[in-house]
Each structure stands twice: as C-alpha cells, then as structure tokens.
Amino acid sequence: MNPFILSMMISNLALGTIITAASYHWFMAWIGLEMNTLAIIPILAKQHHPRATEAATKYFIIQMTASSIILFSSIFNAYHTGTWDITQLTTHPTPSLLTIALAMKLGLVPMHFWLPEVMQGVNTMTALIITTWQKLPPMFLLYLTANQLPMVILLLLAISSTLISGWSGLNQTQLRKIMAYSSIGHLGWMFAILSTSQKLLLFTLTMYLLMTIPIFLIFISSTTKTIKDLGMLWTTSPTSCTMTMVIFMALGGLPPLSGFLPKWLILEELTTNHLIPLATMLTLTSLLSLMFYMRLTYTTTLTV
C-alpha cells in the first residue's frame, strides 16, 4: 500500500476513535464508529490475498450490522425522549439493543464467530490493531452508558464469553486465533464488572492492552505464527522467549504476575456486591483459559 494512503487510513482510524470517545451526541458517536470501520477495511485487505479479502468482507458486514443497530436504537430513543444525549437511555428496548450491538462489535459470545476468522485472515500487525485499538471505541460507549445497560444481559455475555473462549482456545494451533479467544475471555471479565465498577473496567482494559501489545510485537519481530514456531523461539532470541513465557502466564492470571491483579480485584468487587455465584462461575471458567496459556508456556520451554 502507498505510504501516503496508509498514513491517511491510520489517521482516520485514530480520528474516528477520538470522535467517539469525545462525543455525548449519538449521531457524532456513530460517525466516529463509521470512520473507524471504513478506515481499517483497506488495511485489512491490503495483502491482495483471498483470505485477506474474505476477512475484510466479514469484518465489514459485522461492523455495519452492529452500527446499524446502534443507529436504530439511538433514533428510537431520541424519538421517544427528544434528546440525543448518550447518557439518556430511558426507552426500554434501547439499552438491550445497544448492549447487543456493542457486544457484536467487540466479538463477545455468541456474536464471536467472526473474530478468530478475521484475525487468521490478516497479518499479525493488523491482528494487533483489531485486538487493541479497535476495542477502544465500543468500550468508550460502554463506559458512558454503563449504569443504564441491562445487568442480566451483561452477566450472561460475561459468563458465556469466558466459558467459550477457554473451551475453544484449547483446540487451536494458530497463535492469532488463540489471541482472538484470549481477547474474548478478557472482554468477558470486563463485561462482568461493567455495571459495578467503571474504574475497575478501565484498569482491566489497560492491563489487557499492556499485556497484549508486547506479545504481538514479539510475534511480529520473530515471525511466529503457530505453536510449533514457539518451540523454536529460544534458538533465535532467548530474551523474547523468556518474555513470551512471562506474558502468557500473566494473561492466564497467575499470581504474582500483573494479569492476576485485575481478576483478583474483579472477584473481590463481585463478592462485596453479593454476586458470589457469578464470581465462582468466572473463576471456574477462567481455568480453561489458564490451561491453554500454560500449554503455550510449556511449548515455549521445550527447547530451553
């Protein structure tokens, strides 16, 4: 891709996210989401490969569907309330529709099938953008509307995401698909705490980004794409191999690593709010995710 066009696409990607984050008007937030989506489509398809084209098409269809639901729900709410303020979701169907649409944009269960396939069809750098930067605009909207979203739907999405992500990740050998299911699992934890503590949501999101970005940068620098490639990482770069093992264990939430702290705080917050069954289910379902993280760590150490 021409460097000028690529820089323009990345600039529009950043601008769309900033517009959504700074908006209190539904229409402006929707415009930011559309700019963000339209800017990343050429980046997804720049490889001129059938799999990249398929991934871009799937991403476009899913994002446009979710954006249409967001626009419909905002128009419906504005028609009944007379305001386009994002924080005024008083009409009954609007919060549920908005939650489903944002969950579809993020790739939560059961609207998650597109995310692993899209990430597998693009290169590792683009997969990094999908799992990090592209999560920010929907999360900003969730943060602004957290107190008005239906808690039952949020908790169902959280439990199903942590369960399915761990279960599905066990069968994968492609690292990009594994990181896609890792993203789904961590988003499940964020949805579990969304209506209870928004500060803890931002902390969990920040820790997820700080753990995901380095592991993708290691994959890019070492051209690692499969679990088999992890076994050869020590021979090329012992430092990267050591960092990879530590980050995998942190993503799994093993104490005393950084990934354990947000999960511990979420469980403490849920227990304080008398949601002990939810905390128990999240803990049990996260053991599946921990299992495939430990498998990746073990594979990395085979040649050590």
Side-chain angles (χ1 to χ4, degrees):
M1 182 181 290
N2 186 294
F4 175 75
I5 297 176
L6 181 60
S7 63
M8 185 176 65
M9 292 296 104
I10 294 176
S11 299
N12 285 327
L13 197 68
L15 181 60
T17 302
I18 293 171
I19 290 175
T20 301
S23 297
Y24 280 90
H25 191 284
W26 271 117
F27 190 69
M28 291 301 298
W30 178 78
I31 289 177
L33 292 173
E34 291 303 296
M35 288 182 60
N36 185 271
T37 300
L38 294 175
I40 200 175
I41 296 300
I43 299 176
L44 294 175
K46 69 178 181 178
Q47 291 179 315
H48 302 292
H49 189 276
R51 296 194 66 179
T53 305
E54 179 186 355
T57 305
K58 288 179 178 178
Y59 188 86
F60 177 77
I61 292 173
I62 291 295
Q63 297 298 317
M64 289 299 104
T65 303
S67 295
S68 299
I69 297 174
I70 292 174
L71 185 60
F72 171 77
S73 62
S74 60
I75 292 174
F76 188 83
N77 185 73
Y79 177 79
H80 286 275
T81 61
T83 178
W84 287 85
D85 192 343
I86 289 179
T87 59
Q88 300 297 323
L89 297 176
T90 55
T91 309
H92 175 61
T94 303
S96 300
L97 289 174
L98 180 65
T99 304
I100 294 171
L102 294 177
M104 185 183 297
K105 273 189 167 291
L106 290 168
L108 269 80
V109 177
M111 292 80 70
H112 71 289
F113 296 101
W114 65 271
L115 182 57
E117 299 301 324
V118 169
M119 287 188 61
Q120 186 58 31
V122 299
N123 59 31
T124 310
M125 178 57 75
T126 309
L128 169 61
I129 296 174
I130 293 174
T131 52
T132 54
W133 188 264
Q134 291 302 96
K135 305 296 182 188
L136 296 181
M139 292 304 296
F140 286 138
L141 292 179
L142 286 169
Y143 178 81
L144 290 173
T145 59
N147 294 324
Q148 303 176 67
L149 300 179
M151 189 173 183
V152 175
I153 296 179
L154 293 175
L155 297 185
L156 286 176
L157 290 171
I159 295 172
S160 59
S161 295
T162 53
L163 175 62
I164 300 300
S165 65
W167 192 268
S168 301
L170 291 172
N171 302 322
Q172 303 300 326
T173 58
Q174 299 290 329
L175 291 177
R176 280 168 292 180
K177 282 192 174 182
I178 290 175
M179 294 309 296
Y181 288 114
S182 170
S183 172
I184 295 170
H186 281 87
L187 287 172
W189 282 87
M190 295 178 207
F191 265 60
I193 201 62
L194 178 60
S195 59
T196 307
S197 174
Q198 287 76 53
K199 292 182 180 179
L200 194 50
L201 165 71
L202 294 179
F203 176 69
T204 307
L205 177 61
T206 303
M207 293 303 299
Y208 165 73
L209 295 177
L210 291 177
M211 292 183 290
T212 302
I213 293 173
I215 196 69
F216 267 103
L217 293 179
I218 293 174
F219 292 162
I220 293 168
S221 63
S222 60
T223 64
T224 302
K225 295 181 179 180
T226 65
I227 291 181
K228 184 179 179 180
D229 297 336
L230 282 177
M232 304 300 296
L233 190 57
W234 179 266
T235 58
T236 57
S237 177
T239 304
S240 297
C241 182
T242 305
M243 290 182 61
T244 300
M245 289 187 289
V246 173
I247 295 172
F248 277 145
M249 289 187 289
L251 283 168
L254 281 179
L257 299 174
S258 57
F260 172 70
L261 183 58
K263 293 184 178 181
W264 180 33
L265 293 175
I266 288 174
L267 293 176
E268 183 181 16
E269 184 71 23
L270 293 176
T271 304
T272 304
N273 288 275
H274 307 290
L275 296 172
I276 297 177
L278 174 63
T280 304
M281 293 184 69
L282 284 176
T283 305
L284 293 176
T285 54
S286 66
L287 293 177
L288 290 170
S289 299
L290 178 60
M291 187 173 181
F292 72 71
Y293 286 125
M294 295 307 297
R295 183 185 66 165
L296 292 173
T297 306
Y298 170 74
T299 305
T300 310
T301 60
L302 286 179
T303 57
V304 177

